[in-house]
């Protein structure tokens, strides 16, 4: 049973560039959430997708956008990258039924130069 | 606004020295409290879900408990392989949907 997979594992970009991160949810899961985790901090909620719609959003600017596809996979796009966007980006999937726990991928380490 | 506070931020134990990690929370309408383990460079690994005060869950050397204001993760006779960051997260209703808020984590080091 495949868990949550994310790609790429590492990425280096320069300020002002744009980046797309990808996530395939755990088999059977229909909800995908994205988190940003800075070094030494807990994950910060970016947004959540369900039925191809953004359902909830955390305190992140519009430079952060996403998409969910019919097969439940998801993308996170970040435009006009800033040095402060350097972080581990985590994707979590869950089942939209009751209070189910989220299962995480190993993340994409994004470094901005 | 939902808040999750974990303490201590870092903990160093000798192998076999039992201890507890604390997670205190302030939320409206708690739906569940989760404990995760995170190894360096990896994503959080799910450990436990607790839903109501008085509930307890166990897994190997770990035991999680929940009250109305906080949760504890008890580690009995830890081994070096228990070294990791332990994250606490709460799930609550926000704007009609369930939102998950994480604490900063407790970095545990177990010394042989």
């Amino acid at each position: 049973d495949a868990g949550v997979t994310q790609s790429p594992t590492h990425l280096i970009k320069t300020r002002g560039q744009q980046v797309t991160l990808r996530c395939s949810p755990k088999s059977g899961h229909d909800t995908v959430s994205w988190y940003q985790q800075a070094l030494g901090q807990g994950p910060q909620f970016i947004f959540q997708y369900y039925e191809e719609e953004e359902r909830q959003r955390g305190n992140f600017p519009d430079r952060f956008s996403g998409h969910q596809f019919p097969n439940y996979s998801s993308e996170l796009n970040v435009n006009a990258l800033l040095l402060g966007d350097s972080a581990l980006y985590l994707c979590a999937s869950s089942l939209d039924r009751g209070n189910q726990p989220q299962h995480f991928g190993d993340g994409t380490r994004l470094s901005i130069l | 606004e939902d808040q999750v506070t974990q303490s201590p931020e870092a903990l160093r134990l000798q192998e076999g020295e039992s201890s507890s990690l604390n997670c205190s929370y302030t939320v409206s309408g708690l739906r569940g409290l989760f404990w995760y383990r995170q190894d360096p460079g990896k994503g959080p690994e799910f450990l436990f879900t607790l839903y109501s005060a008085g509930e307890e869950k166990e897994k190997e050397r770990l035991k999680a408990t929940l009250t109305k204001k906080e949760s504890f993760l008890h580690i009995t006779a830890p081994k070096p392989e228990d070294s990791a960051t332990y994250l606490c997260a709460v799930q609550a209703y926000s704007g009609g949907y369930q939102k998950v808020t994480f604490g900063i984590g407790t970095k545990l080091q177990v010394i042989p």
Side-chain angles (χ1 to χ4, degrees), chain A residues 56-100:
Chain A
Q56 265 196 302
R57 189 178 185 91
N59 190 25
F60 279 81
D62 292 344
R63 298 186 297 109
F64 290 77
S65 63
H67 190 77
Q68 185 180 34
F69 299 94
N71 66 353
Y72 307 116
S73 66
S74 178
E75 288 182 350
L76 164 65
N77 301 293
V78 186
N79 294 322
L81 287 165
L82 304 174
L83 292 177
D85 295 331
S86 295
L88 181 67
Y89 288 85
L90 294 164
C91 171
S93 72
S94 58
L95 193 59
D96 186 53
R97 187 177 306 162
N99 308 314
Q100 299 298 311

Side-chain angles (χ1 to χ4, degrees), chain B residues 11-55:
Chain B
L11 182 62
R12 198 175 183 196
L13 299 173
Q14 290 293 133
E15 183 172 1
E17 179 187 1
S18 301
S19 188
S20 296
L21 313 183
N22 177 264
C23 170
S24 62
Y25 59 90
T26 305
V27 297
S28 299
L30 180 72
R31 303 300 295 172
L33 184 142
F34 307 108
W35 281 97
Y36 289 86
R37 168 193 170 126
Q38 186 173 27
D39 293 299
K42 298 288 187 180
E45 174 190 348
F46 171 71
L47 293 173
F48 303 111
T49 305
L50 300 167
Y51 293 110
S52 56
E55 190 175 359

Side-chain angles (χ1 to χ4, degrees), chain A residues 11-99:
Chain A
L11 205 50
I12 299 174
K13 292 285 188 178
T14 57
R15 282 180 296 173
Q17 285 190 312
Q18 177 265 343
V19 68
T20 297
L21 311 181
R22 296 177 175 82
C23 171
S24 291
K26 181 180 169 67
S27 178
H29 285 182
D30 55 10
T31 304
V32 173
S33 301
W34 286 92
Y35 292 83
Q36 180 193 68
Q37 187 176 27
L39 206 60
Q41 301 295 313
Q44 297 293 312
F45 176 71
I46 302 175
F47 43 53
Q48 183 181 84
Y49 277 84
Y50 174 69
E51 292 188 340
E52 302 178 52
E53 297 279 336
E54 182 183 295
R55 183 160 69 176
Q56 265 196 302
R57 189 178 185 91
N59 190 25
F60 279 81
D62 292 344
R63 298 186 297 109
F64 290 77
S65 63
H67 190 77
Q68 185 180 34
F69 299 94
N71 66 353
Y72 307 116
S73 66
S74 178
E75 288 182 350
L76 164 65
N77 301 293
V78 186
N79 294 322
L81 287 165
L82 304 174
L83 292 177
D85 295 331
S86 295
L88 181 67
Y89 288 85
L90 294 164
C91 171
S93 72
S94 58
L95 193 59
D96 186 53
R97 187 177 306 162
N99 308 314

